Amino acid sequence: MKKTKTIVVIILSILLVGLYTVTSTYSVIIDVIENDGITEIVNEITVRDLLINDDGSYNNTYYTVKEELELTDEEANILMSSVPLNEALKTVLDSIVEYKVHDNTEAKLTNDEIYNLITESILNTDNISDEVKSRVINKSSIYRQDISDYIYDIEVSVLEDKI
Amino acid sequence: MSLYIMYFLILITTVLFFIIIKDKRKALKLTGIITLLSAILLVVLTFIIKLIINSSINFINISIITDYLFMKFVYTSLIMFIIGVVEILISKHLYSKKHSENTIAS
């Protein structure tokens, strides 16, 4: 009888540990979703984060962009730290979250709107030569026709649906 | 909805615990240990998940996202840790109280 009781207590203990762990994990996920944690995370992302790996080294996108825009290390660094460019990135990321996560179709930015965001933010960036500015604007005009489709084709996983 | 079901299951399991174990102080101590273990398990699991995500996504720096989620899990486990410690301390206090009462009686 005592042995059976011990086994029941052990089973209940394991069950309780599992329940506590699963429930707390689930609570954190719900907290992130309900308290607009996605927007909070998105607001923290900068241009630099998109161009470096977790270990701090530059990723392939960085070298592709640098090569395509014929930038020096210093110019690339200025562009990555540019306040107007980072603000433009936030606008785009917020729009992606609104469109993909909250199903707000009105939040989708058009090709022209995205192009204008890039041109305005690059023109407002200080400490960069006019030549680089014009190179960025010229390259943006090449991709102008399908930039919106490219951006909004990014796969966004909605945790809420999976729970 | 399923969160409430889990809360209910925790409540039922805890009540069952206190019914099965006759010594309530022992039951309290055990639930305290369970809460502590769960807090530790949660941190370990979160750390493992963070490592897996960081090693599988190399094309951008996602440390902001993983750090944000990691801190949320750490806060949760810290609360659980404190609850567990408090439960153990209360049970210990009850044990010592009972022990001193027995000593006075004898």
Side-chain angles (χ1 to χ4, degrees):
Chain A
M1 185 64 193
K2 203 181 173 186
K3 200 180 172 186
T4 319
K5 207 170 133 182
T6 313
I7 292 167
V8 172
V9 169
I10 290 168
I11 291 168
L12 279 177
S13 305
I14 295 166
L15 187 73
L16 210 52
V17 169
L19 273 171
Y20 274 140
T21 313
V22 173
T23 310
S24 42
T25 308
Y26 194 65
S27 307
V28 170
I29 292 168
I30 286 176
D31 177 63
V32 170
I33 293 166
E34 287 187 351
N35 293 332
D36 222 3
I38 299 167
T39 313
E40 211 176 307
I41 294 168
V42 164
N43 283 335
E44 294 286 320
I45 298 172
T46 61
V47 175
R48 193 178 291 275
D49 293 321
L50 302 178
L51 299 174
I52 60 170
N53 300 318
D54 265 7
D55 59 5
S57 61
Y58 292 116
N59 60 22
N60 290 336
T61 315
Y62 170 81
Y63 292 109
T64 309
V65 172
K66 199 179 159 218
E67 199 179 309
E68 197 156 346
L69 294 171
E70 296 164 35
L71 300 168
T72 61
D73 286 339
E74 194 190 349
E75 287 166 341
N77 199 32
I78 292 169
L79 287 179
M80 282 192 290
S81 314
S82 160
V83 175
L85 270 175
N86 279 304
E87 279 172 2
L89 175 71
K90 275 187 182 61
T91 310
V92 174
L93 290 175
D94 281 339
S95 160
I96 295 171
V97 171
E98 272 298 306
Y99 180 74
K100 298 282 248 186
V101 181
H102 302 134
D103 294 324
N104 181 5
T105 48
E106 287 176 14
K108 191 177 178 180
L109 297 168
T110 62
N111 288 327
D112 288 341
E113 282 172 329
I114 297 168
Y115 174 77
N116 289 338
L117 263 178
I118 297 168
T119 48
E120 275 170 32
S121 49
I122 198 75
L123 288 172
N124 290 327
T125 301
D126 298 325
N127 307 323
I128 198 105
S129 68
D130 289 341
E131 197 196 329
V132 173
K133 285 181 182 179
S134 62
R135 250 184 277 154
V136 174
I137 293 167
N138 288 340
K139 279 290 173 189
S140 305
S141 63
I142 296 170
Y143 300 109
R144 191 175 182 168
Q145 295 310 311
D146 45 29
I147 186 138
S148 182
D149 289 338
Y150 176 77
I151 287 174
Y152 292 96
D153 274 347
I154 294 169
E155 197 179 318
V156 177
S157 301
V158 185
L159 287 167
E160 208 171 14
D161 293 343
K162 291 177 181 172
I163 296 166
Chain B
M1 182 61 193
S2 36
L3 190 64
Y4 291 111
I5 295 170
M6 282 196 259
Y7 284 146
F8 183 71
L9 280 172
I10 288 174
L11 186 75
I12 293 288
T13 320
T14 313
V15 170
L16 265 173
F17 234 94
F18 279 86
I19 291 169
I20 292 168
I21 303 168
K22 281 187 181 150
D23 187 351
K24 304 305 168 208
R25 288 161 300 180
K26 207 178 219 176
L28 188 66
K29 191 183 172 186
L30 210 54
T31 49
I33 292 167
I34 288 167
T35 317
L36 266 179
L37 278 176
S38 308
I40 294 163
L41 187 68
L42 189 68
V43 173
V44 171
L45 277 177
T46 315
F47 195 73
I48 291 168
I49 292 167
K50 190 187 167 184
L51 280 180
I52 291 169
I53 293 171
N54 282 348
S55 59
S56 60
I57 299 172
N58 294 316
F59 49 91
I60 60 165
N61 177 18
I62 54 151
S63 58
I64 290 169
I65 302 164
T66 48
D67 287 348
Y68 174 84
L69 291 171
F70 185 70
M71 283 320 288
K72 288 253 174 196
F73 278 104
V74 168
Y75 287 142
T76 311
S77 57
L78 196 69
I79 293 166
M80 285 167 73
F81 195 86
I82 292 166
I83 293 169
V85 169
V86 168
E87 279 182 288
I88 292 168
L89 286 177
I90 291 171
S91 71
K92 281 205 168 191
H93 175 72
L94 291 174
Y95 263 120
S96 56
K97 204 177 164 186
K98 181 80 181 168
H99 181 73
S100 59
E101 275 173 13
N102 286 346
T103 316
I104 292 164
S106 62

